């Protein structure tokens, strides 16, 4: 006896959840910071808000561990600015300070992952 169920629904039947209708609970304002080189000391870099990032490439980055996840987050959040961001050497203490400021901007506590819930 088979226990497999096949559920079918007509296109005009009620759905259980409308993902298309989901809106962010807060304004997803980009995070802007200064990071310059010797030739351009006041360059503005823009990172998308954490909650606005596409989850699929983030999930791929997470598979590589904490460092990979953090770098993936920055790469995705910086978008077109990623290559320019990497041209200037970045001391670890500055990267840590930037990450903390980014987390705070996005409403997260240091050490809290982007996937954490507020409950």
């Amino acid at each position: 006896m088979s226990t497999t169920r096949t559920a079918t629904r007509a296109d005009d039947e009620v759905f259980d959840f409308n993902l298309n209708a989901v809106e962010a609970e807060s304004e997803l304002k980009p995070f802007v910071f200064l990071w310059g080189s010797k030739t351009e000391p006041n360059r503005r870099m823009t990172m998308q808000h954490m909650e606005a990032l596409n989850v699929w490439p983030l999930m791929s980055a997470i598979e590589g561990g904490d460092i990979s996840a953090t770098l993936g987050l920055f790469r995705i959040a910086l978008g077109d600015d990623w290559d320019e961001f990497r041209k200037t050497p970045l001391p670890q203490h500055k990267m840590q300070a930037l990450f903390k400021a980014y987390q705070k901007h996005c409403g997260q506590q240091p050490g809290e992952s982007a996937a954490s819930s507020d409950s």
Side-chain angles (χ1 to χ4, degrees):
M1 178 177 344
S2 176
T3 59
T4 305
R5 290 178 34 184
T6 304
T8 58
R9 241 181 227 196
D11 283 343
D12 63 347
E13 287 189 42
V14 176
F15 47 83
D16 294 313
F17 180 74
N18 184 357
L19 186 56
N20 296 323
V22 175
E23 297 288 333
E25 292 181 10
S26 61
E27 182 182 1
L28 303 181
K29 184 178 172 187
F31 176 70
V32 180
F33 65 98
L34 292 179
W35 178 239
S37 62
K38 290 180 183 177
T39 58
E40 196 175 349
N42 290 314
R43 180 176 176 129
R44 292 179 189 272
M45 299 273 177
T46 302
M47 296 173 71
Q48 293 181 53
H49 193 285
M50 279 186 200
E51 291 185 30
L53 300 178
N54 182 352
V55 299
W56 305 126
L58 286 174
M59 291 174 74
S60 294
I62 288 169
E63 291 174 357
D66 289 346
I67 298 296
S68 178
T70 301
L71 290 175
L73 175 77
F74 273 90
R75 186 182 77 251
I76 295 160
L78 281 161
D80 293 340
D81 282 341
W82 174 246
D83 290 333
E84 285 299 316
F85 179 67
R86 294 188 60 204
K87 286 181 181 178
T88 301
L90 179 63
Q92 187 172 350
H93 71 274
K94 287 190 178 198
M95 179 64 139
Q96 290 171 344
L98 176 61
F99 188 58
K100 285 179 184 177
Y102 180 54
Q103 284 182 301
K104 182 178 178 182
H105 171 82
C106 294
Q108 294 187 355
Q109 299 297 318
E112 182 180 5
S113 76
S116 295
S117 74
D118 291 337
S119 53

